[in-house]
Amino acid sequence: MLKKNHRVRIAMQKSGRLSDDSKELLTRCGIKINLQQKGLIFFAENMPIDVMYVRDDDIPGLVVEGVVDLGIVGKNVLKEIFLEQKEKFKKSLLKVLCNLDFGTCRLSLSIPLNIEYSGLDYFQNKRIATSYPNLLKNFLDKKKIQFKLCSLNGSVEVAPRLNLADAICDLVSTGATLKENSLYEVETVYVSSACLISGLQEISIFKKNIIDKLITRIQGVIKAKESKYIMLHVPISKLEEVTSLLHGAENPTILKLANDQTKVAMHVVSSETIFWETMEKLKILGASSILVLPIEKMME
Ligand code: PRT
Ligand code: ZN
């Protein structure tokens, strides 16, 4: 049995926009962990990894303090803390180990629909409601815009209606919340997605190996999701043209067909989406039996 401090501990959001994707990522990485039960810490059965369930805002602090080795958090949270602590510590106490392909959103400035936007000068001396005061200040300072901060922890979008603020600076993904509150986006302050972070502490070789293995698996999971396995029959005379249509495809495998001397079978992994338009162009070139299959795992 491994000692407790030989296990890699990961902090993940307990419930919220990052929790389902974070859980799914670990599952896809082959980490067997029963996350259904109630509790704070869960132990993986097949790897020395533990998961700690917390609020997303607590994750950077837990990583800095060394309570956990890794955390999955939005870059927006990370950058906000970094800007807040920059003066005190001069450098970040956290590092991004790998970017993740979920939690995508943008921190935007939005104003009421009945106001015509005249450019950034509109915000001069305006009251802006946000939960991200440092990211907002950093953005507007660079544009030399003074503003009055209305700091709110939640329901930022209702501030203009309550006449607490003239504008809001909040996260947007689909834009539905803004629409419901008669607001519209006018400036993007910061583009964000989730990432895997660690602190700057020294860790044992054993833990480092586990973390490296996990990162390789995560990268493989992301790459597999973005990639497709394509199989098709191609006229030998059109091989070059077909290959150039399949962007992102490297070193196709070419196989002979049993009863056709004019065509070959081509198997290829493409890192780009295969659109219907591409399939139609392949067909025009004489390709047939075109199959586009999802890839479950990848390791290079
Ligand atoms: O309880 P806990 O503190 O853990 O959760 P939380 O409520 O603070 O965070 P949560 O779950 O809302 O968000 C966690 C992380 O998800 C954020 O830090 C971002 O990195 C990421 N994320 C991605 C988002 C959104 N998209 C998002 N749309 N976080 C929040 N929103 C909110 C936004 O604030 C607004 O209220 O969703 C609303 C807008 O969504 P749309 O789709 O209507 O535009
Ligand atoms: Zn939170």
Side-chain angles (χ1 to χ4, degrees), residues 13 55-57:
Q13 190 186 26
R55 287 197 59 181
D56 72 331
D57 319 70

Side-chain angles (χ1 to χ4, degrees), residues 15 23 58 63 130 139 143 145 148 171 216 237-238 246 252 264 292:
S15 86
K23 276 183 228 168
D58 295 334
V63 176
T130 191
F139 178 79
K143 314 277 181 191
I145 308 277
K148 294 184 188 111
L171 297 174
T216 306
S237 59
K238 299 287 186 204
L246 298 169
V264 283
V292 180

Side-chain angles (χ1 to χ4, degrees), residues 66-262:
V67 178
V68 294
D69 304 290
L70 305 173
I72 296 178
V73 73
K75 284 197 197 124
N76 50 305
V77 171
L78 209 59
K79 182 83 178 175
E80 179 67 15
I81 292 177
F82 170 68
L83 291 171
E84 188 188 316
Q85 297 181 338
K86 202 166 74 172
E87 291 304 305
K88 206 162 131 197
F89 298 109
K90 302 289 179 219
K91 64 168 186 170
S92 177
L93 302 175
L94 294 160
K95 58 181 178 206
V96 173
L97 297 183
C98 91
N99 293 319
L100 304 174
D101 62 345
F102 56 84
T104 311
C105 57
R106 53 204 182 268
L107 184 68
S108 295
L109 277 160
S110 303
I111 63 172
L113 275 176
N114 59 1
I115 291 174
E116 202 180 318
Y117 186 58
S118 52
L120 268 166
D121 268 342
Y122 166 79
F123 293 104
Q124 205 65 260
N125 297 315
K126 290 283 193 301
R127 298 165 303 162
I128 309 177
T130 191
S131 313
Y132 294 88
N134 294 295
L135 272 163
L136 174 63
K137 186 170 181 316
N138 182 58
F139 178 79
L140 289 181
D141 277 359
K142 282 188 194 151
K143 314 277 181 191
K144 308 217 173 346
I145 308 277
Q146 306 265 348
F147 69 102
K148 294 184 188 111
L149 174 69
C150 170
S151 198
L152 292 177
N153 273 333
S155 305
V156 172
E157 64 278 0
V158 299
R161 232 185 313 141
L162 300 177
N163 197 23
L164 282 172
D166 306 296
I168 70 163
C169 175
D170 197 14
L171 297 174
V172 181
S173 46
T174 62
T177 307
L178 291 179
K179 219 169 175 186
E180 278 163 27
N181 290 280
S182 307
L183 299 164
Y184 72 108
E185 252 178 303
V186 291
E187 299 285 343
T188 303
V189 173
Y190 187 74
V191 176
S192 182
S193 54
C195 60
L196 181 76
I197 56 167
S198 77
L200 303 178
Q201 300 93 335
E202 286 274 313
I203 49 162
S204 66
I205 300 276
F206 182 84
K207 273 193 180 181
K208 191 178 176 309
N209 286 340
I210 302 294
I211 293 173
D212 287 347
K213 196 183 229 186
L214 181 65
I215 293 172
T216 306
R217 289 193 187 185
I218 290 176
Q219 285 165 343
V221 166
I222 295 174
K223 191 111 201 272
K225 263 199 260 175
E226 288 167 355
S227 304
K228 295 280 173 277
Y229 193 83
I230 308 154
M231 301 196 286
L232 64 167
H233 294 175
V234 185
I236 295 173
S237 59
K238 299 287 186 204
L239 263 176
E240 223 167 280
E241 283 164 83
V242 165
T243 313
S244 66
L245 266 182
L246 298 169
H247 308 280
E250 284 167 30
N251 303 330
T253 305
I254 307 289
L255 303 160
K256 271 190 184 168
L257 290 176
N259 300 316
D260 189 341
Q261 307 300 315
T262 62

